[in-house]
């Protein structure tokens, strides 16, 4: 039995699965917005599961952000009270065992690679296009972390070959850089590009409604969105050439993407043949917590 914990900014979710991935139980609590409270919450979920089902063989935790390779402290987490803290070490002390701690996009990708949409593929690239944008690489059901723990970090590379209009109608990224993929393909990024272009105040749901009603500007915006996604993913394909690409996050539910992206991608791939599938995730919102359980 394996325990997975998905540590989010507002909720902490736990799952207990057996060795075949069958869910035995699940729990969700509010995340305390301070360091000690966050640790206590995680410990309480683990203790509760083990009281009911007996000892687990592993505990894995997925969280936004990363563990610095230099200091072993958390960095880049939007749950800011975790930054600069030795979270892994303190959780190991609190739980009296070794644990696995991993970036949430890597957990998503692992979940989909093990028994989701990327099952039976060796090299899986996972993409989160939601409130933010991230990515992860899993090879033979193991997370590829890279030397600096940044492998697959796809959200903050620049959109390739930006036109003047694409430079003009976009917000600066919170990370401080200009032209990041996140500012074009996350939900808020997509809406922001649309609003700056058409001087509106829509969110991505409104633009999607307009697309369904065949609004001219919405169709144009989604064609452009698919093209942005394809340009970003073409970099991944030209470097990594994964066996499959799995999309997650709120924007991944839009079927227009899957209907149109193959054609866009082929334009940017340096190969005469290209048959890599871009697919929607299988486990939906459960992928983060399931991937955390599969960490080892
Ligand atoms: Zn950025």
């Amino acid at each position: 039995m394996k325990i997975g914990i998905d540590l989010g900014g507002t909720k902490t979710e736990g799952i207990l699965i057996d060795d075949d991935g069958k869910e035995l139980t699940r729990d969700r609590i509010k995340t305390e917005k301070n360091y000690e409270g966050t640790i206590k919450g995680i410990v309480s979920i683990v203790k509760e599961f083990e009281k009911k089902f007996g000892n687990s063989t592993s505990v894995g935790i997925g969280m936004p952000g990363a563990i610095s390779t230099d200091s072993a402290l958390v960095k880049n987490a939007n749950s800011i009270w975790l930054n600069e803290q030795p979270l892994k070490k303190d959780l190991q002390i609190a739980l009296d065992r070794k644990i696995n701690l991993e970036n949430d996009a890597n957990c998503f990708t692992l979940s989909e690679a093990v028994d989701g949409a990327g099952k039976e593929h060796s090299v899986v690239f996972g993409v989160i296009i939601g409130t933010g944008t991230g990515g992860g690489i899993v090879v033979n059901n193991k997370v590829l972390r890279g030397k600096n723990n940044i492998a697959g970090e796809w959200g903050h590379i620049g959109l390739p070959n930006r036109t003047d209009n694409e430079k003009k109608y976009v917000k600066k990224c919170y990370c401080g850089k200009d032209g990041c993929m996140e500012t074009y393909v996350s939900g808020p990024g997509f809406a922001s590009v649309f609003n700056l272009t058409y001087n509106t105040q829509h969110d991505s749901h409104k633009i999607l409604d307009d697309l369904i009603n065949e609004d001219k500007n919405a169709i144009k915006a989604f064609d452009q969105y698919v093209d942005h996604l394809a340009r970003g993913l073409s970099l991944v394909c030209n470097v990594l050439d994964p066996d499959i690409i799995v999309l997650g996050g709120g924007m991944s539910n839009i079927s227009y993407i899957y209907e149109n992206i193959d054609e866009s991608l082929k334009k940017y791939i340096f190969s005469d043949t290209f048959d890599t599938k871009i697919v929607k995730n299988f486990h939906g919102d459960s992928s983060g917590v399931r991937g955390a359980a599969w960490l080892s």
Side-chain angles (χ1 to χ4, degrees), residues 155-156 173-177 180 182-183:
H156 299 274
C173 189
Y174 78 89
C175 76
K177 287 194 294 178
C180 292
E182 176 159 322
T183 56

Side-chain angles (χ1 to χ4, degrees), residues 5 7-8 18 26 62 69 81 125 138 171 173 209 213 224 229-230 252 262 268 289:
I5 308 272
L7 177 54
D18 68 14
R26 182 188 282 256
T69 46
W81 59 92
F125 187 68
V138 167
K171 272 193 190 153
C173 189
D209 285 344
N213 293 322
Q224 197 180 39
L229 205 52
S252 75
D262 291 354
Y268 302 115
V289 75

Side-chain angles (χ1 to χ4, degrees), residues 115-142:
D115 62 359
K119 193 180 164 188
E120 287 164 9
H121 292 275
S122 302
V123 181
V124 180
F125 187 68
V127 169
I128 305 277
I129 35 175
T131 315
T133 301
I137 302 166
V138 167
V139 180
N140 297 331
N141 290 344
K142 295 273 178 213

